[in-house]
Amino acid sequence: MQSSTHVRVRFAPSPTGSLHVGGGRTVLFNYLFAYGQARREGGDGTLILRIEDTDQTRLVEGAAQQIEDVLTWFGLTWDEGPDKGGPHGPYVQSQRLDKYQTAAQYLIDQGKAYRCFCSRERLQEVREAQQAKGLPPGYDRHCRNLSQADIDARLSEGAPFTVRFSMPRSGETTVTDMIRGDMTFQNEHLEDLVLLKSDGYPTYHLGNVVDDHDMEITHIMRGDEWIATAPIHVNLYKAFGWDVPKIAHMPLILAPGGGKLSKRHGSTAMEEFRIQGYLPEALMNYLALLGWSLDGTTEIFSKQDLLAHFTLERVSPSPATFDYAKLLWFNQHYINHILTVDDLVARVAPFLIEAGLIDKTWLETESDRLALLTEATRLLKDRMRTLAEAPELMGYFLQDELPDYEAALLIPKKTEPAQVKTALDAVAGWLPGADLDNLEQTEADLRGLAESLGLKAGQLFMPIRVAATGRTESPGLFETLRAIGKDRLTRRLDTARQTFG
RNA sequence: GCCCCCAUAGUCUAGCGGCCCAGGACGUCACCCUUUCAAGGUGAAGAUCACCGGUUCGAAUCCGGUUGGGGGUACCA
């Protein structure tokens, strides 16, 4: 990066729904660039959150708030925005309409924009006609050279109009992209885009350029889908006489089969990953590696690690396919190896409460229930892939009664029902005098019992496991029995024995 | 159709002219550990570096073309 000491970047979502992972990755890179790279290199870095709610027809109630909430969950912070204000507010475009109107009027006065009175129907017809002729569809600049008399006449009759940008008709425009280099476009291919809609709201193009200038944005980091309009934006800056910020387009995130990542392939919204039990740090780690890498070898990055190492120069220009399996691996890795047990307990609790397995009182310090929850979490830590799996995994530790299970599970392969019955009876005889807190003793006792019954250890352990948990998989048997406790174990054993009539 | 972007194993990537007949990770498979399931350990398969031409003593790395994939082509962002 150049020696600029002043970096101001922004994330500008439109509140038309929940935040997509592509957007999540874009904010992340903005955040890492401002707070990581810029500050490391001796400058200051500022991240601005701006809500671009200029499409009144697609607005979703509460979406802006939800985006802020999910960003907070994700672990990101920003310096200026709707919630915290700042020197360049307001940070919601619908509250800055006068600025866009003033800007549009300025361009009209300069002869760099014009009012367009064309109806949507006419626009549609023009587009269809051009497509039919095999020409590139686009506005035919019909209103670009209207006489002043025509314009006045239309205005006096109160005709609705949009304001369009007068793109230069010849020459070329070069966009310098920080991760792709120069991209040159022939001006004749660029459209006279609508800047101001007939409802007085700006389009993305005007709103974005005006605000980025007004908010003194130094670096624009946005999705790859904006490349096509970037040359028009550059021309807009020139028309206003403003400096063009540095621009970087983030590589696209593609769906597994190709194309856009959509619901059809699985979750696409940040919020959904939260609900499905993904950890924000795992999602962040995964998303950071989608288009960026440090050395091709290091895989695990905490937010601090990312802040310490991220550089825009190492962002790849090529699109990346979203791999759910790898995300799941990261999540599992964080649960299994990075989180502490206490931390996991705190993360898993909301999911258990939601499932009705525990309630808030379980979390009171020094309660026996918290001890049980903690022990259950410790035992299942290595077997949990997402937080959402916790209720399913931990039920038999947390509940008094076991849900019904298939009696056939009690009978291991190559073992007769009669043998199992005898074995469980023997275990029931042993249990009252057993010391479950002594794991070594429990193991010695049960191995001895198996031997005396003429069974292999596994042939005895599996029926006990199923009787105790209702499942064929569990953490180590002796620790599992200890956590369940003698009382519940006795009852569960009785239930199992009764299935043999 | 037109404009633009991209191109290393199924996927994410390292590589920025010789160290690479290509390294790491996910996934897959095998083995070890083992009371089950995981986790962990070890190992294997998997890429003629999309293709074709150049440049060079030498190319995955530079250039051109082709093909393929993707994006844009709205009074959506």
Side-chain angles (χ1 to χ4, degrees):
Chain A
M1 200 185 78
Q2 54 291 144
S3 60
S4 91
T5 54
H6 198 57
V7 167
R8 288 175 61 84
V9 296
R10 99 280 124 131
F11 178 58
S14 72
T16 53
S18 49
L19 186 61
H20 189 270
V21 284
R25 204 268 315 265
T26 300
V27 223
L28 176 60
F29 283 9
N30 272 284
Y31 173 88
L32 295 175
F33 181 65
Y35 291 2
Q37 183 169 14
R39 296 183 181 188
R40 280 201 321 273
E41 294 177 1
D44 59 358
T46 303
L47 174 61
I48 290 122
L49 178 66
R50 182 172 74 222
I51 301 298
E52 304 209 332
D53 57 342
T54 57
D55 186 344
Q56 293 297 296
T57 64
R58 295 202 311 153
L59 225 51
V60 172
E61 182 85 21
Q65 184 59 50
Q66 203 206 348
I67 289 170
E68 291 184 33
D69 291 346
V70 86
L71 288 178
T72 300
W73 167 80
F74 193 37
L76 302 186
T77 54
W78 50 96
D79 305 285
E80 298 170 28
D83 57 328
K84 17 179 70 103
H88 301 278
Y91 293 89
V92 178
Q93 291 192 322
S94 59
Q95 295 167 20
R96 324 176 103 243
L97 297 183
D98 55 320
K99 290 182 190 289
Y100 314 121
Q101 279 153 10
T102 303
Q105 186 60 51
Y106 171 80
L107 289 181
I108 292 173
D109 294 344
Q110 296 293 308
K112 289 170 178 168
Y114 58 94
R115 294 186 182 81
C116 171
F117 297 94
C118 293
S119 66
R120 288 168 197 269
E121 292 69 33
R122 195 188 97 81
L123 260 20
Q124 178 74 20
E125 284 164 20
V126 169
R127 210 173 296 129
E128 281 167 9
Q130 278 161 333
Q131 266 165 339
K133 278 189 276 181
L135 293 168
Y139 183 54
D140 61 359
R141 302 182 182 84
H142 178 262
C143 295
R144 183 156 170 164
N145 297 308
L146 250 34
S147 70
Q148 192 58 46
D150 283 340
I151 296 171
D152 292 342
R154 302 305 299 270
L155 285 177
S156 66
E157 45 188 65
F161 62 88
T162 61
V163 175
R164 284 182 184 271
F165 184 47
S166 294
M167 258 304 294
R169 298 295 309 276
S170 58
E172 53 185 39
T173 301
T174 295
V175 176
T176 301
D177 183 293
M178 288 187 283
I179 65 184
R180 264 164 265 263
D182 285 354
M183 302 182 286
T184 298
F185 301 75
Q186 297 305 309
N187 289 162
E188 60 185 317
H189 292 135
L190 303 175
E191 270 206 85
D192 283 5
L193 285 181
V194 170
L195 261 23
L196 204 63
K197 309 181 216 179
S198 53
D199 63 2
Y201 281 75
T203 58
Y204 169 89
H205 315 290
L206 215 218
N208 205 255
V209 167
V210 167
D211 285 350
D212 281 350
H213 175 259
D214 196 58
M215 296 178 182
E216 298 175 21
I217 299 303
T218 57
H219 300 255
I220 296 174
M221 295 169 62
R222 72 218 318 184
D224 170 295
E225 68 271 20
W226 293 106
I227 289 181
T229 44
I232 300 178
H233 299 158
V234 167
N235 277 283
L236 251 180
Y237 278 100
K238 286 187 193 159
F240 280 118
W242 297 337
D243 289 339
V244 184
K246 299 242 181 311
I247 303 176
H249 291 96
M250 303 296 124
L252 237 34
I253 296 179
L254 266 27
K260 277 188 179 172
L261 191 60
S262 69
K263 294 277 177 291
R264 192 162 53 82
H265 309 95
S267 300
T268 57
M270 299 289 284
E271 181 69 9
E272 291 177 88
F273 289 103
R274 203 205 91 223
I275 292 168
Q276 286 170 13
Y278 284 87
L279 304 173
E281 46 272 77
L283 184 59
M284 181 181 287
N285 196 151
Y286 175 67
L287 250 21
L289 259 15
L290 220 48
W292 174 84
S293 72
L294 176 63
D295 53 17
T297 302
T298 315
E299 295 271 322
I300 302 301
F301 291 92
S302 66
K303 184 167 76 178
Q304 289 313 314
D305 294 335
L306 292 171
L307 286 167
H309 297 292
F310 179 86
T311 53
L312 189 54
E313 288 74 14
R314 291 195 60 85
V315 172
S316 154
S318 58
T321 303
F322 196 89
D323 184 351
Y324 289 92
K326 189 151 188 179
L327 203 214
L328 185 59
W329 177 82
F330 271 108
N331 206 60
Q332 173 169 243
H333 183 84
Y334 273 79
I335 290 175
N336 296 173
H337 304 296
I338 295 182
L339 255 42
T340 62
V341 173
D342 288 343
D343 195 353
L344 222 208
V345 168
R347 312 266 195 144
V348 124
F351 288 84
L352 297 173
I353 292 173
E354 172 77 23
L357 285 171
I358 67 171
D359 60 60
K360 287 198 179 70
T361 63
W362 283 60
L363 301 173
E364 288 162 11
T365 1
E366 302 195 28
S367 80
D368 289 349
R369 317 223 102 183
L370 179 60
L372 175 62
L373 172 59
T374 303
E375 176 65 358
T377 303
R378 184 183 74 82
L379 293 177
L380 262 355
K381 198 169 176 284
D382 279 349
R383 288 151 239 261
M384 200 181 293
R385 300 183 300 174
T386 69
L387 301 176
E389 288 177 347
E392 165 77 9
L393 249 28
M394 298 173 58
Y396 55 81
F397 283 125
L398 305 177
Q399 288 177 303
D400 287 338
E401 302 298 325
L402 233 39
D404 289 343
Y405 57 89
E406 197 63 49
L409 297 178
L410 288 162
I411 301 155
K413 284 184 181 124
K414 297 179 184 169
T415 310
E416 294 302 316
Q419 291 177 290
V420 173
K421 178 176 167 30
T422 310
L424 290 178
D425 286 346
V427 173
W430 160 82
L431 188 58
D435 176 10
L436 295 181
D437 288 335
N438 187 336
L439 297 177
E440 292 75 23
Q441 189 59 51
T442 302
E443 175 161 11
D445 286 354
L446 292 177
R447 285 191 187 279
L449 195 58
E451 199 175 339
S452 69
L453 291 165
L455 296 173
K456 287 184 179 176
Q459 287 179 293
L460 175 63
F461 292 179
M462 185 53 86
I464 298 175
R465 168 175 292 110
V466 174
T469 69
R471 319 171 49 117
T472 54
E473 337 60 61
S474 79
L477 184 61
F478 317 117
E479 289 183 301
T480 300
L481 297 183
R482 179 179 62 183
I484 291 171
K486 205 177 274 189
D487 289 350
R488 295 141 104 196
L489 212 46
T490 305
R491 274 179 275 126
R492 292 179 187 184
L493 218 40
D494 287 345
T495 306
R497 289 160 68 204
Q498 280 160 23
T499 66
F500 292 93

